[in-house]
């Protein structure tokens, strides 16, 4: 049985929380597909988390003979004949140098829920403990790399995907990367989570009611959205899907309104308890 060369395959990552499956010509052996590696990742049937067999990574492999494949840029790997390069100075070496473990703190929540403020307080708190952090703020990244993206569901997905790839690199660098973006769709957050090693994606939900966010309205965007001057504003006429099972929930309801410093300390305690603040 002859195997199809990797260069002749298209690999698509499916967005549905579906079981992975392979669509191959009859001459292709599945064992070859499961061993297939690309860009340092195993592509093929594998578990979503390294040591858990509960969910198969949603993937599809098809022979590249014009067979229909998800047609937009996010799903298709365009590069072929490329090789992944390793370096002996690896993640462990970098973590040893920094005396911390690379990870991602992914802060999700409505506009005005305090994501950016928390990100900043966290960065300050960790910095003062000698820990290296870097903030990726959705608003900021949209000024540069993601300036071509709008706020349609598809563009938000692409915005999240690109930031997911970036945080993965930062975590691999050994940095505690703080991502602060609305990231309104569960499936997009799940996709980013799947890029990181188990435990290294720490989802923090800013559980703040819309009324509080709207009353804060520091940029006047809710007012514009209510007036119909911004269309598709999250929480007004666009959806926000709260996490169902995230690592940390920070509630600000009624009297339960902690300061940004107090909220940041909760997250830092979480990192401390799980060994992220040591190599
Ligand atoms: N339609 C619409 N909906 C939501 N937000 C909007 C919109 N238009 C502009 N903005 C501004 O964009 C900031 C959110 O960008 P994100 O990259 O975090 O959003 S997303 O994750 O792609 O949904 C958001 O920043 P924050 O207010 O800090 O949340 C807004 O300033
Ligand atoms: N823990 C908090 N308690 C009270 N006000 C807060 C808190 N965190 C943030 N704020 C205020 O809420 C507003 C929105 O915060 P911001 O961090 O810009 O939200 P987001 O990044 O989610 O849009 C700001 O005016 C900020 O000062």
């Amino acid at each position: 049985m002859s195997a199809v060369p990797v260069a002749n395959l298209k690999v698509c990552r499916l967005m549905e929380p579906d079981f992975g499956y392979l669509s191959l010509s009859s001459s292709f052996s599945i064992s070859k597909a499961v061993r297939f590696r690309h860009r340092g990742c195993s592509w093929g049937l594998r578990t979503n988390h390294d040591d858990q067999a509960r969910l198969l990574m949603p993937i599809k492999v098809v022979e590249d003979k014009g067979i229909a494949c998800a047609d937009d840029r996010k799903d298709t790997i365009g590069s072929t004949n490329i090789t992944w390069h390793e370096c002996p100075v690896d993640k462990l070496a970098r973590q040893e140098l920094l005396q911390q473990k690379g990870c991602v703190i992914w802060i999700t929540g409505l506009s005005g829920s305090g994501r950016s403020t928390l990100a900043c307080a966290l960065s300050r708190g960790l910095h003062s403990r000698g820990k290296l952090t870097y903030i990726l703020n959705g608003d900021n990244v949209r000024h540069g790399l993601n300036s071509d993206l709008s706020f349609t569901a598809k563009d938000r997905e692409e915005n999240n995907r690109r930031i997911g790839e970036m945080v993965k690199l930062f975590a691999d660098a050994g940095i505690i990367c703080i991502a602060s973006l609305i990231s309104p769709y569960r499936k997009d957050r799940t996709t980013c989570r799947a890029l990181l090693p188990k435990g290294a994606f720490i989802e923090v939900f800013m559980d703040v009611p819309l009324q509080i966010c709207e009353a804060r309205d520091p940029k006047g965007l809710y007012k514009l959205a209510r007036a119909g001057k911004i269309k598709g504003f999250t929480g007004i006429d666009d959806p926000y899907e709260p996490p169902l099972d995230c690592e940390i929930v920070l509630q600000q309801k009624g009297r339960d309104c902690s300061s940004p410093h107090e909220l940041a300390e909760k997250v830092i305690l979480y990192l401390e308890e799980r060994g992220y603040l040591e190599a």
Side-chain angles (χ1 to χ4, degrees):
M1 189 182 284
S2 66
V4 176
V6 163
N8 292 344
L9 294 175
K10 267 189 183 170
V11 180
C12 307
R13 299 184 53 214
L14 303 181
M15 291 302 122
E16 300 84 8
D18 199 351
F19 287 104
Y21 65 93
L22 298 167
S23 166
L24 299 163
S25 74
S26 55
S27 64
F28 191 86
S29 74
I30 281 184
S31 62
K32 285 280 186 327
V34 295
R35 285 206 304 271
F36 176 37
R37 282 178 68 81
H38 188 87
R39 291 185 178 174
C41 293
S42 295
W43 290 86
L45 290 175
R46 69 169 194 145
T47 57
N48 200 21
H49 297 293
D50 289 343
D51 58 351
Q52 285 181 329
R54 56 183 190 166
L55 181 68
L56 290 171
M57 183 106 165
I59 59 129
K60 181 169 118 180
V61 181
V62 293
E63 196 175 352
D64 188 7
K65 284 182 179 166
I67 301 167
C69 192
D71 60 355
D72 59 49
R73 62 186 170 224
K74 73 185 183 316
D75 289 338
T76 305
I77 291 171
S79 309
T80 56
N81 301 314
I82 55 171
T83 310
W84 183 267
H85 294 268
E86 297 289 352
C87 173
V89 181
D90 61 5
K91 186 180 181 185
L92 284 179
R94 290 186 287 272
Q95 292 186 155
E96 190 63 34
L97 185 75
L98 294 169
Q99 285 301 300
Q100 62 186 51
K101 290 193 187 81
C103 62
V104 175
I105 300 164
W106 187 280
I107 310 172
T108 174
L110 291 169
S111 173
S113 60
R115 286 175 290 106
S116 315
T117 308
L118 172 67
C120 197
L122 250 179
S123 189
R124 206 180 305 119
L126 287 166
H127 190 83
S128 70
R129 285 166 168 85
K131 302 302 162 192
L132 185 61
T133 63
Y134 194 79
I135 299 175
L136 289 174
N137 184 298
D139 239 343
N140 293 359
V141 178
R142 282 173 176 278
H143 277 79
L145 178 68
N146 289 353
S147 59
D148 58 322
L149 301 175
S150 70
F151 288 89
T152 60
K154 201 170 160 53
D155 277 7
R156 287 181 198 258
E157 177 185 346
E158 177 62 8
N159 180 43
N160 284 213
R161 188 193 69 81
R162 289 184 198 171
I163 293 179
E165 292 290 348
M166 280 197 282
V167 297
K168 176 184 165 185
L169 295 178
F170 275 97
D172 189 55
I175 293 169
I176 299 171
C177 186
I178 305 166
S180 163
L181 62 164
I182 296 178
S183 42
Y185 297 108
R186 250 175 240 133
K187 71 169 176 45
D188 297 343
R189 298 192 298 264
T190 302
T191 302
C192 294
R193 176 185 289 275
L195 295 172
L196 273 294
K198 185 178 179 316
F201 184 93
I202 299 148
E203 192 173 344
V204 178
F205 173 39
M206 302 304 285
D207 187 7
V208 186
L210 177 65
Q211 302 89 291
I212 294 184
C213 298
E214 198 169 351
R216 289 176 176 171
D217 204 10
K219 302 173 192 160
L221 297 178
Y222 281 103
K223 205 170 170 198
L224 290 173
R226 288 287 184 200
K229 291 180 182 159
I230 300 179
K231 302 282 182 210
F233 195 77
T234 307
I236 303 298
D237 56 348
D238 223 49
Y240 179 79
E241 300 171 356
L244 299 174
D245 186 19
C246 65
E247 282 72 13
I248 302 175
V249 179
L250 298 177
Q251 278 199 338
Q252 292 174 67
K253 288 178 180 166
R255 286 186 202 163
D256 193 3
C257 205
S258 312
S259 71
H261 172 75
E262 289 167 328
L263 297 176
E265 287 301 315
K266 285 187 190 174
V267 180
I268 292 173
L269 183 64
Y270 181 97
L271 294 176
E272 223 157 31
E273 286 175 350
R274 281 153 188 84
Y276 279 96
L277 304 187
E278 59 198 1

